[in-house]
Each structure stands twice: as structure tokens, then as C-alpha cells.
Amino acid sequence: RRVLFRSNAVVPWGIAGQTQTQVQVRYGGLSSNVAAVPVTASQPGLFRANYTTSQGAILNADGSVNSAANPAARGSIVALWGTGGGPMSPAGVDGGIWPLNPLASLQLPVTATISGQNANVIYAGAAPGLVSGFFQINLQVPANAFSGANPVAITIGGTPLPNSITAPTTVAVK
């Protein structure tokens, strides 16, 4: 009997620099086949608050949750969270929690757009209090962003977020 399921995992920092690694999933006493998986410097992905609407897991400048009912103002700062951002400095610790001090920074260049407009990257690094491997990016909403759901595109080290065209993460703007 073949069982298919989707799984999430935190990738150990120690595989950095490798071109591939071996992965095997064990669950409920069963083990998958071993699979060779390519390793890249970054494979960014943003978390979503709502997968039906593509609304990102985003906080507005006042700390409130960004949503269609609570959009961000143009020119304000929004915070987004994700994983797969690549190397950090200082380096992350396998299984660790990001401390508030010192703040680790993403080492690969980060660029962002909101509705195709350049969005200033104010901060790109550790997400204090969350598992090492998660990142936080603070963006300034462009002054000419549209009202409503605006697609967010982030590139880290030349690697764009997956699904940035077909199913983009969105930020609500008023």
C-alpha cells in the first residue's frame, strides 16, 4: 500500500554548501524510501494567514494583523515571515530559537515588490522568539500601491518566492 502525505521540516544548518542531501521520513513506525534532494543557497517561502485568499501572515506597523478588514496604509511598514532564506550572520543553531540580541541578518541580497512596485526592505533577518530557520522581512508599502490585495514578490539571493505569479502571497493596502 502506498501512502502519500505532505510534510514540513526544519532543514539543519549543517547542510549549507552541499549540492544535495539524503532525506527519509519516518512516521508512525513507517519509513519512506531515501530520496536525494538538491540543496540550494536559498528557497524562500512566505507564511500565509489564509490559503484561500492568499493573504500573507503579515503584521501592520501598529502590530495588528494585516487583512482586508485591517489594511496597511501606503508608506507604512509591514512585517512578513517565512523560511528558506539561506545563510544568516550570526549563524543559526539547529533546533534553536532566534534571540533578540544579537539579531542575525540574511546574508544573501533581498529585494521586494508590492504590486510590481519596488518596496524598500527595512529589515531582513532573524525572527526573534521563533525557531532558527524562520526569517522576518520588514517592507515599506509603496506610496502608489493599489487599494485591496497586493501581490508580494520577494527574491533572496536571486531566488524568487515560488508561486509568485500563479498564487502570490498578498498584503492588504488601504
Side-chain angles (χ1 to χ4, degrees):
R1 179 172 179 220
R2 186 174 181 167
V3 177
L4 299 175
F5 65 94
R6 182 173 250 181
S7 176
N8 294 318
V10 176
V11 177
W13 290 103
I15 70 163
Q18 297 180 23
T19 57
Q20 73 174 19
T21 191
Q22 303 294 314
V23 175
Q24 182 178 45
V25 177
R26 294 182 185 160
Y27 179 76
L30 300 173
S31 296
S32 72
N33 293 332
V34 175
V37 177
V39 175
T40 60
S42 70
Q43 187 60 58
L46 293 177
F47 298 126
R48 291 186 178 177
N50 185 320
Y51 279 82
T52 302
T53 65
S54 297
Q55 173 64 47
I58 299 170
L59 291 183
N60 293 326
D62 64 2
S64 64
V65 176
N66 180 269
S67 68
N70 190 36
R74 291 175 183 90
S76 68
I77 308 299
V78 293
L80 303 89
W81 286 268
T83 190
M88 302 282 264
S89 180
V93 175
D94 289 344
I97 302 296
W98 287 121
L100 183 58
N101 189 12
L103 279 176
S105 298
L106 285 166
Q107 292 303 286
L108 298 172
V110 179
T111 59
T113 62
I114 296 177
S115 278
Q117 313 289 329
N118 287 334
N120 289 333
V121 177
I122 307 300
Y123 171 77
L130 297 181
V131 69
S132 174
F134 288 9
F135 63 74
Q136 176 179 336
I137 295 179
N138 297 352
L139 302 176
Q140 185 173 25
V141 177
N144 54 355
F146 304 110
S147 292
N150 286 255
V152 177
I154 293 179
T155 300
I156 299 176
T159 303
L161 274 107
N163 300 327
S164 60
I165 303 299
T166 58
T169 297
T170 60
V171 58
V173 177
K174 57 181 162 184

